[in-house]
Amino acid sequence: MDPIQETHLSEPGLLVIDVAGRDDDTVNTFQSALARTWATAIDRTTRDPGQPGVRVRMYVDLRQGLAETLRRSGLWSAARKRPGPSPRGE
């Protein structure tokens, strides 16, 4: 894999994840699972001579996606209605 570029880790919440799996379908399924919660981008899969399976680098932005996922699922309003102190301490 290529070296990680500083720009990919320039802010809190950004991740670079190197993944190895048996085949393209496996790593693409994993990326799809991550994409259901966070913003992701994926490089093409590669095969390294003498190494089993395929490898892929994923770029994940934890700052994006979680609130939107909760909103789409209907869990956002439920989470906001939980009993307890309000964010302002009221």
Side-chain angles (χ1 to χ4, degrees), residues 11-70:
E11 298 180 35
L14 300 179
L15 298 172
V16 177
I17 303 171
D18 291 330
V19 176
R22 180 169 177 84
D23 53 37
D24 288 345
D25 288 341
T26 301
V27 296
N28 289 330
T29 298
F30 179 72
Q31 187 272 336
S32 294
L34 287 179
R36 285 192 290 273
T37 304
W38 297 291
T40 63
I42 188 171
D43 277 349
R44 61 180 170 75
T45 56
T46 60
R47 292 186 181 275
D48 295 330
Q51 296 292 315
V54 298
R55 289 172 178 42
V56 69
R57 177 164 286 168
M58 296 179 190
Y59 304 94
V60 180
D61 187 344
L62 298 178
R63 304 166 304 170
Q64 298 180 23
L66 186 55
E68 185 58 32
T69 299
L70 291 173

